[in-house]
Amino acid sequence: MRHWRIPALALSLATAFAVVIPLAAAQEAGPYRELTTIPIPTWANVDTTSFDIAWVNPATQTFFLADRTPPGGGIEVIDAANNTFVRTAGLGKMVGNIPSPRGGPNGVTAVSPVEVAAADGDSTVKIINIFTDEVQSISTGGENRADELAYDPTDDLLLVANPREDTPFVTVIKVHPLGIVGKILMPHASATGAGLEQPLAANGRFYISIQTTDTNPNGEIDLINPQSLTVERRMAAGSCKITGLMFGLGGRLVTGGNAECSSVVDPSSGSVAEIPNAGGDEVSYIPSMGLYAFGIAATNTLNLVDAATRQTVQKLPIGSGRNAAVNPVNGEIFVADGSIKAVRVFAPIVAPDGKGK
């Protein structure tokens, strides 16, 4: 495990924050501290919040949050370079907070500098201009919610998952102009809600994590060809009931999972290693720090894991938050916390061994 060199000034600042912010007193010593919170104005006077995927567009340093809370839902937009709230895009133009499996928005990702794609509860994908609120909508043809999605900017393609159908499926969508390319049925994936999870674009293909399948009841990762509309490869993913998916150290596939563990899969060999005390709906990688970030609702903590040793180096309290998203430009981590109706921002105190990685 690395030894984190924290200068005396940084320690003094951390002590000061522990006095000013009561929650910070529970933070463990480590490479990160809670920097600030960003209130979400549209959550005012709302008793029950509901949000799903959080994501940072590194090209524009913009944080997006799929928020089902306002009537009709919306995409919360935050300037991740300056940690300021910008606006709620598409407010009232989605399904909102209705019982699963039909709530939305769910998955969210940028598809241009001014547009986000959001998967909605009526089995549609909506392309929203984050400044004008212009909305384009296209149906994936399901009965229940469209959920996680990923975007390949090279081919201008989205892959979106419908996990709650009798036969789960994924849909390939051309974004500009908006149109359906095709659908891939995934009969091997469970339709109980523990099925299709997070896709990830890679070199003209998409990977997708699946919590449980016919041959891999503890989870697998499928490689999808969006041109031929086929599943090219299926890889077992350990025993952690995988959820989110991200490229990690050495190009390995790192998953979310249950609160006990998550998986690291080498796509070249198919070998699997597990990360103890990690999981959650999403996972983020911070290359400059050599860390994975897991927001875990079951433990109300942000767990930071050394990517090389796969050991947890710090746990930070996040209230009722989950789904950590990272700004790779400065290494800051964002976690939406419904209990305080705000987004918590965590910042590096110092890089590993006194330098970036």
Side-chain angles (χ1 to χ4, degrees):
M1 184 179 297
R2 290 183 174 83
H3 297 286
W4 302 92
R5 300 176 184 168
I6 304 175
L9 176 60
L11 283 171
S12 299
L13 287 172
T15 303
F17 269 82
V19 174
V20 175
I21 305 173
L23 185 60
Q27 296 184 11
E28 297 179 357
Y32 271 75
R33 65 179 175 90
E34 185 167 351
L35 175 68
T36 189
T37 57
I38 307 170
I40 305 293
T42 52
W43 283 353
N45 302 317
V46 176
D47 292 329
T48 302
T49 59
S50 177
F51 49 81
D52 199 2
I53 296 300
W55 187 76
V56 174
N57 181 0
T60 62
Q61 293 194 71
T62 306
F63 169 86
F64 299 109
L65 174 67
D67 185 357
R68 308 180 185 119
T69 302
I75 303 299
E76 307 296 358
V77 182
I78 285 174
D79 179 341
N82 299 297
N83 295 331
T84 55
F85 178 80
V86 178
R87 66 190 305 269
T88 305
L91 179 60
K93 296 185 178 182
M94 282 161 280
V95 169
N97 189 20
I98 62 175
S100 181
R102 296 180 182 271
N106 303 299
V108 62
T109 188
V111 293
S112 83
V114 298
E115 296 171 307
V116 293
D120 206 359
D122 56 358
S123 196
T124 65
V125 172
K126 293 180 169 66
I127 308 299
I128 305 164
N129 187 300
I130 61 175
F131 298 112
T132 69
D133 291 330
E134 177 187 357
V135 176
Q136 302 176 70
S137 182
I138 190 166
S139 175
T140 63
E143 295 294 327
N144 298 305
R145 69 176 183 175
D147 200 359
E148 317 287 8
L149 47 72
Y151 178 62
D152 178 358
T154 301
D155 294 324
D156 193 32
L157 294 178
L158 276 170
L159 187 82
V160 59
N162 273 67
R164 298 282 189 140
E165 308 300 326
D166 291 339
T167 300
F169 64 87
V170 298
T171 306
V172 180
I173 298 173
K174 180 74 171 178
V175 179
H176 303 99
L178 192 61
I180 299 291
V181 174
K183 180 186 297 187
I184 306 170
L185 297 178
M186 308 284 279
H188 56 290
S190 168
T192 65
L196 303 177
E197 288 286 341
Q198 181 64 53
L200 179 64
N203 301 318
R205 300 290 191 272
F206 289 93
Y207 291 99
I208 188 168
S209 56
I210 307 176
Q211 272 203 329
T212 182
T213 71
D214 52 0
T215 57
N216 292 298
N218 289 315
E220 73 178 48
I221 298 172
D222 286 5
L223 180 62
I224 291 174
N225 185 327
Q227 308 299 330
S228 63
L229 300 174
T230 57
V231 176
E232 290 187 336
R233 185 183 177 194
R234 297 172 59 184
M235 294 174 283
S239 60
C240 297
K241 294 290 185 183
I242 64 174
T243 53
L245 191 63
M246 177 62 64
F247 281 115
L249 182 65
R252 295 175 180 87
L253 295 163
V254 184
T255 77
N258 54 34
E260 288 75 35
C261 66
S262 60
S263 298
V264 180
V265 180
D266 186 336
S268 62
S269 66
S271 65
V272 181
E274 293 186 354
I275 301 174
N277 303 310
D281 196 27
E282 288 187 74
V283 57
S284 293
Y285 179 42
I286 316 167
S288 62
M289 299 293 289
L291 296 172
Y292 301 135
F294 299 88
I296 307 177
T299 58
N300 303 123
T301 57
L302 171 64
N303 288 19
L304 301 179
V305 173
D306 185 306
T309 66
R310 302 191 302 278
Q311 298 300 308
T312 299
V313 298
Q314 191 177 20
K315 296 180 182 179
L316 294 154
I318 54 175
S320 66
R322 65 185 186 105
N323 288 351
V326 167
N327 179 359
V329 177
N330 57 19
E332 291 182 353
I333 306 168
F334 297 78
V335 181
D337 180 357
S339 66
I340 60 171
K341 302 175 184 177
V343 174
R344 297 183 182 274
V345 184
F346 300 88
I349 294 174
V350 65
D353 301 323
K355 61 184 179 180
K357 182 178 179 181

